[in-house]
Amino acid sequence: MMRWIGPLAVFIITAVGAHWATLQYTPSVIMDRTLSTLKNRGISQHAFTTPQRISPSTQVVVRTSPDLFYSLCRYDLSEPGSALRVTMGEWPDYQSLSFFDGDTNNFQRFRGQGETVSVRMVHNKRELPAPDTITSPTPRGVVLLRRLAPTQEAFDAAKEASKEDMCELVTR
């Protein structure tokens, strides 16, 4: 019985360590692959990119909705003094603006209906937050804008409305 305590302790420590490492590093590995895939698909950095309308032939991400208009913006705030200015233009129906950090966390979300939403985002945690400023937990991530557009006509109108959207790198 006593001879099994050492190997059992090593097994438990190894299992706990592997579990901890998986939980710690998997989100950033997933987001790194996602950002790389988005870049390869032509999703702009520091600018919204409007992909095609979701259909069975264009759906590459599980659980995307064909009733929504999506617009994506990759961001990188690793340069000192950089900030991102994001504006979601007016839309008469449901729309949301979601911010995802480099660890896949949705750290901020705004919902707007019939109104424009503007926000400034920084990564420097030491900066005192201004009323219209949010802080990204990581320097890199993705901004996702969604609008309800269940028909081709609504999708075309959402695409037109997206001309008022902005995702741009600015200096403080």
Side-chain angles (χ1 to χ4, degrees):
M1 178 72 166
M2 293 300 277
R3 68 184 185 146
W4 290 101
I5 291 177
L8 185 60
V10 169
F11 173 76
I12 290 171
I13 290 169
T14 302
V16 168
H19 179 72
W20 176 85
T22 299
L23 293 177
Q24 184 70 27
Y25 297 110
T26 298
S28 60
V29 169
I30 290 170
M31 186 55 98
D32 282 343
R33 290 197 65 196
T34 300
L35 291 172
S36 176
T37 300
L38 291 174
K39 179 181 178 184
N40 293 339
R41 286 182 50 211
I43 303 299
S44 300
Q45 182 162 289
H46 308 132
F48 277 117
T49 303
T50 304
Q52 299 174 340
R53 186 163 187 230
I54 301 299
S55 69
S57 64
T58 61
Q59 189 166 4
V60 294
V61 177
V62 179
R63 290 191 274 169
T64 52
S65 172
D67 290 342
L68 293 175
F69 169 90
Y70 294 93
S71 197
L72 299 164
C73 174
R74 295 181 303 118
Y75 68 86
D76 185 348
L77 299 174
S78 57
E79 191 69 34
S82 63
L84 193 71
R85 186 176 11 185
V86 179
T87 299
M88 176 175 62
E90 257 182 60
W91 182 245
D93 211 330
Y94 168 82
Q95 67 177 354
S96 69
L97 188 61
S98 300
F99 295 81
F100 295 88
D101 69 11
D103 293 327
T104 70
N105 298 310
N106 180 345
F107 65 91
Q108 185 70 291
R109 184 178 64 84
F110 297 95
R111 184 173 176 176
Q113 185 168 336
E115 62 186 31
T116 298
V117 176
S118 292
V119 67
R120 184 174 156 271
M121 182 170 58
V122 297
H123 173 60
N124 183 353
K125 294 179 177 150
R126 289 186 221 130
E127 182 176 310
L128 294 174
D132 65 339
T133 301
I134 60 174
T135 302
S136 174
T138 61
R140 295 174 51 220
V142 176
V143 181
L144 172 64
L145 189 152
R146 291 177 282 238
R147 289 189 170 107
L148 183 61
T151 64
Q152 184 62 51
E153 294 78 27
F155 185 86
D156 293 341
K159 194 170 189 175
E160 186 64 30
S162 74
K163 293 177 180 176
E164 300 301 315
D165 302 333
M166 181 176 48
C167 182
E168 68 177 348
L169 191 65
V170 295
T171 55
R172 289 184 251 171

